[in-house]
Amino acid sequence: MGTGENKTMETAADVAAYLDTVEPAERQADGRAITVLMALLSGEPPRLWGPSIIGFGRYHYRYDSGREGDMCRIGFAPRKAELVFYLAGLDDADFMALGKHRRGKGCLYVKRLADIDMGALEALIVQSLAHMDGLYPR
């Protein structure tokens, strides 16, 4: 892979088969629930991006540096320790009703869906999709 190429690319791997490998069992069940929710809200089928990101939709970006590539509009990764959500365009106040979580740059980390308000998560996903549609119209 050359320099500047995106490491995370859409693959043809089977999302359901990937979810079958996720551990622990609660994370697998949460992953299935999020897959259904994100597919419903985005109107896009789930696709595996790289080895472990389940993404919905795609957009093409181009930075001022000249680097460009494709990435999923929204996505998540059911990692062993927690669920990692890839959402954009959200402010601190948007997370107030969510419940137990932590955040990093462009990422939301949740240990289990049972710890958060699903209506608040749904609102975050919808808001992120609207933000992406504004930046990168479909």
Side-chain angles (χ1 to χ4, degrees), residues 6-11 15 38-39 42 44-61 63 69-79 84-89 106-107 125 128-129 131-133 135-136 138:
N6 192 343
K7 293 188 300 259
T8 305
M9 300 178 75
E10 186 175 346
T11 72
V15 172
M38 286 188 156
S42 69
E44 301 281 355
R47 300 267 191 249
L48 211 53
W49 288 76
S52 62
I53 296 174
I54 299 172
F56 302 81
R58 66 171 26 231
Y59 70 98
H60 186 79
Y61 62 84
Y63 297 131
D70 294 301
M71 191 57 193
C72 54
R73 287 180 173 269
I74 59 168
F76 79 99
R79 306 230 190 273
V84 182
F85 293 87
Y86 302 98
L87 303 171
C107 296
I125 294 168
S128 181
L129 282 165
H131 173 79
M132 290 303 295
D133 287 347
L135 289 176
Y136 303 97
R138 296 189 214 202

Side-chain angles (χ1 to χ4, degrees), residues 26-101:
E26 181 184 28
R27 186 94 54 252
Q28 186 178 124
D30 284 355
R32 291 185 196 290
I34 295 162
T35 299
V36 169
L37 179 65
M38 286 188 156
L40 181 71
L41 295 175
S42 69
E44 301 281 355
R47 300 267 191 249
L48 211 53
W49 288 76
S52 62
I53 296 174
I54 299 172
F56 302 81
R58 66 171 26 231
Y59 70 98
H60 186 79
Y61 62 84
R62 181 177 286 116
Y63 297 131
D64 290 339
S65 66
R67 180 182 168 163
E68 60 184 286
D70 294 301
M71 191 57 193
C72 54
R73 287 180 173 269
I74 59 168
F76 79 99
R79 306 230 190 273
K80 194 169 190 84
E82 57 203 343
L83 300 160
V84 182
F85 293 87
Y86 302 98
L87 303 171
L90 303 171
D91 298 317
D92 289 347
D94 299 326
F95 294 89
M96 297 293 280
L98 188 59
K100 259 176 103 170
H101 71 280

Side-chain angles (χ1 to χ4, degrees), residues 95-116:
F95 294 89
M96 297 293 280
L98 188 59
K100 259 176 103 170
H101 71 280
R102 67 184 184 87
R103 290 174 32 219
K105 187 174 174 17
C107 296
L108 165 65
Y109 301 90
V110 172
K111 288 213 180 287
R112 58 174 46 97
L113 292 184
D115 290 343
I116 62 169

